[in-house]
Amino acid sequence: MRGKVAVIGVGMIPFGEHFNKGLEDMAQEAYIACLKSVDKGIDPKEIKAAWFGQWSGGMIGQGAQSGAMLASMIGNMEIPITRVENGCPTGSDAFRNACIGVASGIYDVVLALGVEKMRDKPGSESLIGAGGGKGGGLGSHPSWMMGTGGPSLQALYATRQMYELGCTMEDFARVAIKNHHNGTFCQYAHYRFEVTMERVLNSPIVCWPLHLLDCCPQTDGAAAAIVCRADLAKNYTDKPIYVLGSNVGLDHANYWDKHKFTEMLATVRAARGAFEMAGVKPKDLDLAECHDCFTNTELMNVEDIGICEKGEAHKLLEAGEFDMHGRIPINPSGGLKAHGHPIAATGIGQICECTWQLREELGDRQVKMNNGIALQHNCGGPGFGVSCVNILSRSS
Amino acid sequence: MRGKVAVIGVGMIPFGEHFNKGLEDMAQEAYIACLKSVDKGIDPKEIKAAWFGQWSGGMIGQGAQSGAMLASMIGNMEIPITRVENGCPTGSDAFRNACIGVASGIYDVVLALGVEKMRDKPGSESLIGAGGGKGGGLGSHPSWMMGTGGPSLQALYATRQMYELGCTMEDFARVAIKNHHNGTFCQYAHYRFEVTMERVLNSPIVCWPLHLLDCCPQTDGAAAAIVCRADLAKNYTDKPIYVLGSNVGLDHANYWDKHKFTEMLATVRAARGAFEMAGVKPKDLDLAECHDCFTNTELMNVEDIGICEKGEAHKLLEAGEFDMHGRIPINPSGGLKAHGHPIAATGIGQICECTWQLREELGDRQVKMNNGIALQHNCGGPGFGVSCVNILSRSS
């Protein structure tokens, strides 16, 4: 895909609690923001197809989705729309499928939009797990992971990271401290407050060793991106951002088949394929938006993407290398931890952040550009068996 | 897409009641049948990506899906897999996305697989509607269509077809008679028995004017197709079937916005785009597998696809033109009505039938080939607002 496809517009709504907005309202606001962001202007009729990220579907009282729902939301019945669901990477994979649609030569300009309501849920019938982090009940196969949720699944990894790699609860807390700090600069972030080591470590244990403040919040949100043929991009914007690589990686959905609990093969595979397609290496990245549904998850994924060796991430974090102005900033947006995690919107929200960073539009949370390359990553789904990586660049 | 993509293998399991099989068993059997159907042989490792059709997801106790589930089912973690959901056209759109994936140049050989369990359902919490036909509760937006199901929604159309177009309950019954007759020849069909006019008209009314035998059954099933770059197809088979056109059409999900109840704009739009892409016309078709979740739906969709004028389908049906050996056979497989409707498997099952027909492999249900072109169609989703059409051909 290297350089064939370009992002020409991105838009999102502030992530947070939107009890006063329906799925439709949120999708429409993100769509309009995205259209308006195309600096040379775009007629909505130029969009020829769309991919609609929506995770929860009929599971938590939002009704089944499908392309017709997005068509209604954006008032466009004249294009094909596919609903994509792929666990927590739903938004990233909707974006990937939109890019594939353009690369196919069938559609010149297409939309990827993800929207999720996590805060309005039915009562007792809901399977959303307890704890600050999103539960895993809904993402679980009924026979394979009954009773587990996000925190308890990630605790299996966290304890092993402590045992094998020497991570401590303080190391995990440093991810929260960094990402909450970053989030204070982002007007779209769900949580815009600093946390301290003391506050994280004194917050209630959700599932040992994960505290409440090690868990990302449940968040409502919507985000959208318009992508087009790279050779047409300059008709729409002076600052197109090119898609170099895009890939989904998978692993067993059931836990007894996992090879180990200090590495996510889904992420390893997604990143390997995306870098290969992009023709770049982890050292070329200027930033990464990396899945941190739990603090330990960020450390694991930074390693699995290849940004550092296994067991090194917590040391580099402590040394400040992942800070907003460090060697390779991780989650300058605040990450899922502070920016929030409205599942199908999360990945496309990260695409927004990467696009703004690459365009150097972000003022006081702008990271330094060297090569002008950013990586976006999500993982999740049944057994954290799905991962998606997109690599974006200022040059094609 | 004309001629860029070819079907090189298809496989399915007999549709029906599979209380003794899990989603996994059914998917695996369809996958293996599909691999075995590639007559010059294929190494599963040659498949480089997949699109996984699965409609019900977490809604009826099957657990959330995502690509990791199909990866586990087929034992291949090394490729990207996207779950597609798009209402009743879920399978057709998974196939369409697989074709787009090949057309993109990123993947040479890919898999589309759809699987659905409709017969094992939770008890009182299930929203599946009553009646022989599949209910619409699960496919409905909670605020827009509360309490409606497939039969009651289609009855809105059926009554209007009677009032405006002069259709009778006998006309609807003739669809059942034809499709059940066709189903008796198909070893994969759920129902393999003839029905008579008397039997249809004396079966219980589910929602007037639709009798139980006007409704398709709820069915378990799985189906798969392997598609590849057209220029590589002869490496795998002597009889590739080329994909000429593929499109999704949409319409409002809410009923108060429908323009009329004798036409489905989603189907009109899907067919128009697919024919345009294919560069062929309805008169060029040798057969169509056309969505008949209810008998009246087939008549409406045959018209909306453009096979005949509005209001003509019931007359042509009575004249025998849609019979297996008529001018343009409609649903030689038995259709949803007799072959069954395991939602995400349905569309890919129709692709199987079209492929076999175009290859002239079907013995006593083989239809006559003139141009060697077949059309496959599904409609459904919230408010029957989604439709998908794929057009296949013996020549590229």
Side-chain angles (χ1 to χ4, degrees), chain A residues 122-164:
Chain A
S124 57
E125 67 271 38
S126 168
L127 291 169
I128 293 268
K134 71 183 179 59
L138 285 173
S140 305
H141 187 286
S143 66
W144 291 350
M145 297 195 293
M146 190 65 87
T148 58
S152 56
L153 292 174
Q154 276 300 311
L156 297 172
Y157 291 93
T159 48
R160 207 69 197 171
Q161 288 170 283
M162 294 167 78
Y163 182 75
E164 286 191 34

mmCIF file of all heavy atoms in Angstrom, chain A residues 122-164:
data_model
loop_
_atom_site.group_PDB
_atom_site.id
_atom_site.type_symbol
_atom_site.label_atom_id
_atom_site.label_comp_id
_atom_site.label_asym_id
_atom_site.label_seq_id
_atom_site.Cartn_x
_atom_site.Cartn_y
_atom_site.Cartn_z
ATOM 1 N N PRO A 122 -27.536 -1.289 29.293
ATOM 2 C CA PRO A 122 -28.627 -1.917 30.034
ATOM 3 C C PRO A 122 -28.127 -2.330 31.412
ATOM 4 O O PRO A 122 -26.920 -2.350 31.673
ATOM 5 C CB PRO A 122 -28.981 -3.138 29.184
ATOM 6 C CG PRO A 122 -28.354 -2.903 27.859
ATOM 7 C CD PRO A 122 -27.156 -2.050 28.111
ATOM 8 N N GLY A 123 -29.043 -2.691 32.272
ATOM 9 C CA GLY A 123 -28.689 -2.989 33.657
ATOM 10 C C GLY A 123 -28.132 -4.373 33.856
ATOM 11 O O GLY A 123 -27.035 -4.687 33.388
ATOM 12 N N SER A 124 -28.859 -5.237 34.483
ATOM 13 C CA SER A 124 -28.302 -6.500 34.941
ATOM 14 C C SER A 124 -27.896 -7.403 33.783
ATOM 15 O O SER A 124 -27.042 -8.255 33.949
ATOM 16 C CB SER A 124 -29.320 -7.212 35.816
ATOM 17 O OG SER A 124 -30.513 -7.402 35.082
ATOM 18 N N GLU A 125 -28.541 -7.229 32.647
ATOM 19 C CA GLU A 125 -28.215 -8.131 31.546
ATOM 20 C C GLU A 125 -26.865 -7.799 30.919
ATOM 21 O O GLU A 125 -26.345 -8.551 30.117
ATOM 22 C CB GLU A 125 -29.319 -8.137 30.477
ATOM 23 C CG GLU A 125 -29.491 -6.845 29.709
ATOM 24 C CD GLU A 125 -30.466 -5.881 30.362
ATOM 25 O OE1 GLU A 125 -30.488 -5.779 31.617
ATOM 26 O OE2 GLU A 125 -31.214 -5.232 29.640
ATOM 27 N N SER A 126 -26.323 -6.629 31.270
ATOM 28 C CA SER A 126 -25.029 -6.252 30.697
ATOM 29 C C SER A 126 -23.927 -7.150 31.218
ATOM 30 O O SER A 126 -23.878 -7.499 32.386
ATOM 31 C CB SER A 126 -24.703 -4.802 31.045
ATOM 32 O OG SER A 126 -23.360 -4.528 30.733
ATOM 33 N N LEU A 127 -23.022 -7.482 30.321
ATOM 34 C CA LEU A 127 -21.892 -8.329 30.712
ATOM 35 C C LEU A 127 -20.627 -7.515 30.926
ATOM 36 O O LEU A 127 -19.559 -8.068 31.147
ATOM 37 C CB LEU A 127 -21.642 -9.389 29.646
ATOM 38 C CG LEU A 127 -22.717 -10.460 29.524
ATOM 39 C CD1 LEU A 127 -22.492 -11.274 28.267
ATOM 40 C CD2 LEU A 127 -22.722 -11.360 30.744
ATOM 41 N N ILE A 128 -20.721 -6.188 30.802
ATOM 42 C CA ILE A 128 -19.529 -5.353 30.987
ATOM 43 C C ILE A 128 -18.969 -5.618 32.387
ATOM 44 O O ILE A 128 -19.699 -5.611 33.371
ATOM 45 C CB ILE A 128 -19.900 -3.856 30.856
ATOM 46 C CG1 ILE A 128 -20.320 -3.549 29.435
ATOM 47 C CG2 ILE A 128 -18.758 -2.961 31.322
ATOM 48 C CD1 ILE A 128 -19.249 -3.078 28.512
ATOM 49 N N GLY A 129 -17.680 -5.834 32.449
ATOM 50 C CA GLY A 129 -17.056 -6.172 33.721
ATOM 51 C C GLY A 129 -16.967 -4.992 34.659
ATOM 52 O O GLY A 129 -17.149 -3.843 34.262
ATOM 53 N N ALA A 130 -16.694 -5.270 35.883
ATOM 54 C CA ALA A 130 -16.520 -4.227 36.877
ATOM 55 C C ALA A 130 -15.130 -3.601 36.719
ATOM 56 O O ALA A 130 -14.313 -4.050 35.929
ATOM 57 C CB ALA A 130 -16.664 -4.803 38.271
ATOM 58 N N GLY A 131 -14.885 -2.580 37.470
ATOM 59 C CA GLY A 131 -13.552 -1.972 37.447
ATOM 60 C C GLY A 131 -13.494 -0.817 36.485
ATOM 61 O O GLY A 131 -14.340 -0.655 35.614
ATOM 62 N N GLY A 132 -12.483 0.010 36.642
ATOM 63 C CA GLY A 132 -12.366 1.186 35.804
ATOM 64 C C GLY A 132 -12.129 0.834 34.356
ATOM 65 O O GLY A 132 -12.519 1.572 33.468
ATOM 66 N N GLY A 133 -11.494 -0.263 34.111
ATOM 67 C CA GLY A 133 -11.235 -0.648 32.730
ATOM 68 C C GLY A 133 -12.463 -1.281 32.136
ATOM 69 O O GLY A 133 -13.347 -1.745 32.840
ATOM 70 N N LYS A 134 -12.499 -1.278 30.837
ATOM 71 C CA LYS A 134 -13.623 -1.922 30.188
ATOM 72 C C LYS A 134 -13.599 -3.396 30.526
ATOM 73 O O LYS A 134 -12.552 -4.018 30.621
ATOM 74 C CB LYS A 134 -13.561 -1.719 28.690
ATOM 75 C CG LYS A 134 -12.461 -2.510 28.059
ATOM 76 C CD LYS A 134 -12.327 -2.283 26.589
ATOM 77 C CE LYS A 134 -11.166 -3.110 26.082
ATOM 78 N NZ LYS A 134 -11.311 -4.542 26.313
ATOM 79 N N GLY A 135 -14.767 -3.956 30.694
ATOM 80 C CA GLY A 135 -14.861 -5.378 30.996
ATOM 81 C C GLY A 135 -14.654 -6.190 29.758
ATOM 82 O O GLY A 135 -14.685 -5.691 28.650
ATOM 83 N N GLY A 136 -14.424 -7.453 29.954
ATOM 84 C CA GLY A 136 -14.168 -8.315 28.812
ATOM 85 C C GLY A 136 -15.307 -9.245 28.514
ATOM 86 O O GLY A 136 -15.261 -9.988 27.557
ATOM 87 N N GLY A 137 -16.336 -9.209 29.345
ATOM 88 C CA GLY A 137 -17.416 -10.179 29.184
ATOM 89 C C GLY A 137 -17.967 -10.186 27.777
ATOM 90 O O GLY A 137 -18.148 -11.236 27.161
ATOM 91 N N LEU A 138 -18.209 -9.002 27.253
ATOM 92 C CA LEU A 138 -18.804 -8.918 25.929
ATOM 93 C C LEU A 138 -17.837 -9.362 24.846
ATOM 94 O O LEU A 138 -18.270 -9.773 23.777
ATOM 95 C CB LEU A 138 -19.225 -7.477 25.641
ATOM 96 C CG LEU A 138 -20.472 -7.025 26.375
ATOM 97 C CD1 LEU A 138 -20.682 -5.553 26.134
ATOM 98 C CD2 LEU A 138 -21.673 -7.809 25.915
ATOM 99 N N GLY A 139 -16.561 -9.240 25.119
ATOM 100 C CA GLY A 139 -15.595 -9.596 24.099
ATOM 101 C C GLY A 139 -15.172 -11.043 24.174
ATOM 102 O O GLY A 139 -14.237 -11.442 23.511
ATOM 103 N N SER A 140 -15.845 -11.795 24.994
ATOM 104 C CA SER A 140 -15.368 -13.141 25.292
ATOM 105 C C SER A 140 -16.253 -14.195 24.659
ATOM 106 O O SER A 140 -17.463 -14.025 24.568
ATOM 107 C CB SER A 140 -15.362 -13.369 26.796
ATOM 108 O OG SER A 140 -14.618 -12.368 27.437
ATOM 109 N N HIS A 141 -15.653 -15.249 24.243
ATOM 110 C CA HIS A 141 -16.418 -16.417 23.841
ATOM 111 C C HIS A 141 -17.028 -17.026 25.096
ATOM 112 O O HIS A 141 -16.352 -17.173 26.113
ATOM 113 C CB HIS A 141 -15.486 -17.418 23.171
ATOM 114 C CG HIS A 141 -16.222 -18.576 22.572
ATOM 115 N ND1 HIS A 141 -16.765 -19.571 23.331
ATOM 116 C CD2 HIS A 141 -16.536 -18.871 21.288
ATOM 117 C CE1 HIS A 141 -17.361 -20.452 22.525
ATOM 118 N NE2 HIS A 141 -17.234 -20.038 21.285
ATOM 119 N N PRO A 142 -18.296 -17.395 25.059
ATOM 120 C CA PRO A 142 -18.940 -17.823 26.303
ATOM 121 C C PRO A 142 -18.306 -19.049 26.941
ATOM 122 O O PRO A 142 -18.290 -19.172 28.160
ATOM 123 C CB PRO A 142 -20.389 -18.091 25.879
ATOM 124 C CG PRO A 142 -20.370 -18.181 24.393
ATOM 125 C CD PRO A 142 -19.204 -17.376 23.927
ATOM 126 N N SER A 143 -17.770 -19.955 26.135
ATOM 127 C CA SER A 143 -17.225 -21.163 26.747
ATOM 128 C C SER A 143 -15.749 -21.031 27.107
ATOM 129 O O SER A 143 -15.234 -21.797 27.892
ATOM 130 C CB SER A 143 -17.411 -22.360 25.809
ATOM 131 O OG SER A 143 -16.626 -22.172 24.660
ATOM 132 N N TRP A 144 -15.067 -20.065 26.522
ATOM 133 C CA TRP A 144 -13.616 -20.012 26.683
ATOM 134 C C TRP A 144 -13.164 -19.094 27.814
ATOM 135 O O TRP A 144 -12.118 -19.293 28.387
ATOM 136 C CB TRP A 144 -12.956 -19.569 25.385
ATOM 137 C CG TRP A 144 -13.062 -20.580 24.297
ATOM 138 C CD1 TRP A 144 -13.506 -21.861 24.431
ATOM 139 C CD2 TRP A 144 -12.736 -20.423 22.925
ATOM 140 N NE1 TRP A 144 -13.485 -22.498 23.228
ATOM 141 C CE2 TRP A 144 -13.014 -21.639 22.283
ATOM 142 C CE3 TRP A 144 -12.235 -19.365 22.170
ATOM 143 C CZ2 TRP A 144 -12.799 -21.826 20.924
ATOM 144 C CZ3 TRP A 144 -12.024 -19.563 20.819
ATOM 145 C CH2 TRP A 144 -12.298 -20.786 20.208
ATOM 146 N N MET A 145 -13.915 -18.051 28.063
ATOM 147 C CA MET A 145 -13.410 -17.074 29.015
ATOM 148 C C MET A 145 -14.504 -16.604 29.960
ATOM 149 O O MET A 145 -14.520 -15.475 30.400
ATOM 150 C CB MET A 145 -12.825 -15.876 28.261
ATOM 151 C CG MET A 145 -11.644 -16.273 27.397
ATOM 152 S SD MET A 145 -10.701 -14.859 26.845
ATOM 153 C CE MET A 145 -11.874 -14.060 25.768
ATOM 154 N N MET A 146 -15.447 -17.470 30.242
ATOM 155 C CA MET A 146 -16.580 -17.101 31.076
ATOM 156 C C MET A 146 -16.106 -16.465 32.382
ATOM 157 O O MET A 146 -15.257 -17.003 33.075
ATOM 158 C CB MET A 146 -17.417 -18.348 31.366
ATOM 159 C CG MET A 146 -18.742 -18.067 32.026
ATOM 160 S SD MET A 146 -19.851 -17.136 30.944
ATOM 161 C CE MET A 146 -20.622 -18.496 30.038
ATOM 162 N N GLY A 147 -16.686 -15.355 32.667
ATOM 163 C CA GLY A 147 -16.415 -14.726 33.955
ATOM 164 C C GLY A 147 -15.224 -13.800 33.951
ATOM 165 O O GLY A 147 -15.008 -13.075 34.905
ATOM 166 N N THR A 148 -14.452 -13.812 32.891
ATOM 167 C CA THR A 148 -13.281 -12.939 32.861
ATOM 168 C C THR A 148 -13.658 -11.573 32.305
ATOM 169 O O THR A 148 -14.628 -11.430 31.591
ATOM 170 C CB THR A 148 -12.166 -13.528 31.981
ATOM 171 O OG1 THR A 148 -12.686 -13.715 30.670
ATOM 172 C CG2 THR A 148 -11.677 -14.837 32.529
ATOM 173 N N GLY A 149 -12.869 -10.586 32.663
ATOM 174 C CA GLY A 149 -13.044 -9.253 32.104
ATOM 175 C C GLY A 149 -11.685 -8.708 31.737
ATOM 176 O O GLY A 149 -10.661 -9.356 31.963
ATOM 177 N N GLY A 150 -11.663 -7.505 31.177
ATOM 178 C CA GLY A 150 -10.394 -6.902 30.794
ATOM 179 C C GLY A 150 -9.368 -6.920 31.904
ATOM 180 O O GLY A 150 -8.231 -7.381 31.711
ATOM 181 N N PRO A 151 -9.717 -6.422 33.092
ATOM 182 C CA PRO A 151 -8.711 -6.364 34.157
ATOM 183 C C PRO A 151 -8.156 -7.735 34.546
ATOM 184 O O PRO A 151 -6.936 -7.893 34.715
ATOM 185 C CB PRO A 151 -9.481 -5.729 35.318
ATOM 186 C CG PRO A 151 -10.599 -4.955 34.667
ATOM 187 C CD PRO A 151 -10.978 -5.750 33.457
ATOM 188 N N SER A 152 -9.026 -8.739 34.646
ATOM 189 C CA SER A 152 -8.524 -10.049 35.085
ATOM 190 C C SER A 152 -7.693 -10.713 33.998
ATOM 191 O O SER A 152 -6.714 -11.416 34.282
ATOM 192 C CB SER A 152 -9.679 -10.954 35.532
ATOM 193 O OG SER A 152 -10.634 -11.083 34.512
ATOM 194 N N LEU A 153 -8.043 -10.481 32.733
ATOM 195 C CA LEU A 153 -7.218 -11.029 31.656
ATOM 196 C C LEU A 153 -5.855 -10.352 31.620
ATOM 197 O O LEU A 153 -4.821 -11.006 31.494
ATOM 198 C CB LEU A 153 -7.919 -10.859 30.296
ATOM 199 C CG LEU A 153 -9.172 -11.701 30.094
ATOM 200 C CD1 LEU A 153 -9.848 -11.327 28.784
ATOM 201 C CD2 LEU A 153 -8.835 -13.189 30.104
ATOM 202 N N GLN A 154 -5.862 -9.024 31.749
ATOM 203 C CA GLN A 154 -4.583 -8.319 31.671
ATOM 204 C C GLN A 154 -3.730 -8.565 32.918
ATOM 205 O O GLN A 154 -2.496 -8.472 32.855
ATOM 206 C CB GLN A 154 -4.810 -6.827 31.439
ATOM 207 C CG GLN A 154 -5.016 -6.488 29.970
ATOM 208 C CD GLN A 154 -3.831 -6.873 29.094
ATOM 209 O OE1 GLN A 154 -2.689 -6.559 29.409
ATOM 210 N NE2 GLN A 154 -4.104 -7.565 27.994
ATOM 211 N N ALA A 155 -4.374 -8.879 34.028
ATOM 212 C CA ALA A 155 -3.597 -9.211 35.226
ATOM 213 C C ALA A 155 -2.756 -10.470 35.017
ATOM 214 O O ALA A 155 -1.673 -10.618 35.602
ATOM 215 C CB ALA A 155 -4.527 -9.383 36.431
ATOM 216 N N LEU A 156 -3.251 -11.373 34.139
ATOM 217 C CA LEU A 156 -2.454 -12.567 33.824
ATOM 218 C C LEU A 156 -1.134 -12.165 33.167
ATOM 219 O O LEU A 156 -0.087 -12.774 33.404
ATOM 220 C CB LEU A 156 -3.224 -13.494 32.873
ATOM 221 C CG LEU A 156 -4.526 -14.100 33.392
ATOM 222 C CD1 LEU A 156 -5.246 -14.833 32.256
ATOM 223 C CD2 LEU A 156 -4.246 -15.069 34.536
ATOM 224 N N TYR A 157 -1.219 -11.152 32.305
ATOM 225 C CA TYR A 157 -0.002 -10.651 31.660
ATOM 226 C C TYR A 157 0.847 -9.856 32.673
ATOM 227 O O TYR A 157 2.061 -10.038 32.755
ATOM 228 C CB TYR A 157 -0.356 -9.739 30.474
ATOM 229 C CG TYR A 157 -0.976 -10.452 29.296
ATOM 230 C CD1 TYR A 157 -2.350 -10.564 29.162
ATOM 231 C CD2 TYR A 157 -0.179 -11.001 28.293
ATOM 232 C CE1 TYR A 157 -2.923 -11.207 28.071
ATOM 233 C CE2 TYR A 157 -0.734 -11.638 27.200
ATOM 234 C CZ TYR A 157 -2.115 -11.743 27.096
ATOM 235 O OH TYR A 157 -2.678 -12.380 26.020
ATOM 236 N N ALA A 158 0.186 -8.974 33.415
ATOM 237 C CA ALA A 158 0.928 -8.072 34.307
ATOM 238 C C ALA A 158 1.764 -8.848 35.324
ATOM 239 O O ALA A 158 2.929 -8.526 35.586
ATOM 240 C CB ALA A 158 -0.040 -7.123 35.006
ATOM 241 N N THR A 159 1.162 -9.891 35.902
ATOM 242 C CA THR A 159 1.907 -10.670 36.897
ATOM 243 C C THR A 159 3.113 -11.346 36.251
ATOM 244 O O THR A 159 4.193 -11.438 36.840
ATOM 245 C CB THR A 159 1.007 -11.732 37.552
ATOM 246 O OG1 THR A 159 0.304 -12.439 36.529
ATOM 247 C CG2 THR A 159 -0.005 -11.092 38.490
ATOM 248 N N ARG A 160 2.935 -11.808 35.038
ATOM 249 C CA ARG A 160 4.048 -12.465 34.331
ATOM 250 C C ARG A 160 5.123 -11.459 33.932
ATOM 251 O O ARG A 160 6.324 -11.780 33.947
ATOM 252 C CB ARG A 160 3.495 -13.202 33.103
ATOM 253 C CG ARG A 160 4.331 -14.383 32.673
ATOM 254 C CD ARG A 160 4.264 -15.520 33.668
ATOM 255 N NE ARG A 160 5.365 -16.462 33.460
ATOM 256 C CZ ARG A 160 5.674 -17.462 34.275
ATOM 257 N NH1 ARG A 160 4.957 -17.671 35.388
ATOM 258 N NH2 ARG A 160 6.683 -18.260 34.014
ATOM 259 N N GLN A 161 4.700 -10.223 33.585
ATOM 260 C CA GLN A 161 5.689 -9.167 33.293
ATOM 261 C C GLN A 161 6.510 -8.855 34.551
ATOM 262 O O GLN A 161 7.702 -8.563 34.474
ATOM 263 C CB GLN A 161 4.979 -7.890 32.805
ATOM 264 C CG GLN A 161 4.403 -8.002 31.398
ATOM 265 C CD GLN A 161 3.509 -6.808 31.047
ATOM 266 O OE1 GLN A 161 2.363 -6.718 31.492
ATOM 267 N NE2 GLN A 161 4.031 -5.890 30.242
ATOM 268 N N MET A 162 5.866 -8.931 35.702
ATOM 269 C CA MET A 162 6.579 -8.705 36.954
ATOM 270 C C MET A 162 7.548 -9.858 37.220
ATOM 271 O O MET A 162 8.724 -9.654 37.545
ATOM 272 C CB MET A 162 5.578 -8.554 38.111
ATOM 273 C CG MET A 162 4.710 -7.298 37.992
ATOM 274 S SD MET A 162 3.284 -7.262 39.118
ATOM 275 C CE MET A 162 4.098 -6.816 40.652
ATOM 276 N N TYR A 163 7.071 -11.084 37.036
ATOM 277 C CA TYR A 163 7.850 -12.268 37.382
ATOM 278 C C TYR A 163 9.023 -12.480 36.420
ATOM 279 O O TYR A 163 10.154 -12.749 36.844
ATOM 280 C CB TYR A 163 6.933 -13.493 37.379
ATOM 281 C CG TYR A 163 7.609 -14.786 37.771
ATOM 282 C CD1 TYR A 163 7.925 -15.051 39.105
ATOM 283 C CD2 TYR A 163 7.934 -15.743 36.811
ATOM 284 C CE1 TYR A 163 8.550 -16.233 39.473
ATOM 285 C CE2 TYR A 163 8.558 -16.930 37.166
ATOM 286 C CZ TYR A 163 8.866 -17.173 38.502
ATOM 287 O OH TYR A 163 9.483 -18.347 38.855
ATOM 288 N N GLU A 164 8.752 -12.335 35.136
ATOM 289 C CA GLU A 164 9.793 -12.645 34.138
ATOM 290 C C GLU A 164 10.652 -11.452 33.757
ATOM 291 O O GLU A 164 11.833 -11.617 33.440
ATOM 292 C CB GLU A 164 9.173 -13.214 32.853
ATOM 293 C CG GLU A 164 8.697 -14.639 32.989
ATOM 294 C CD GLU A 164 8.350 -15.242 31.630
ATOM 295 O OE1 GLU A 164 9.009 -14.904 30.623
ATOM 296 O OE2 GLU A 164 7.406 -16.051 31.588
#
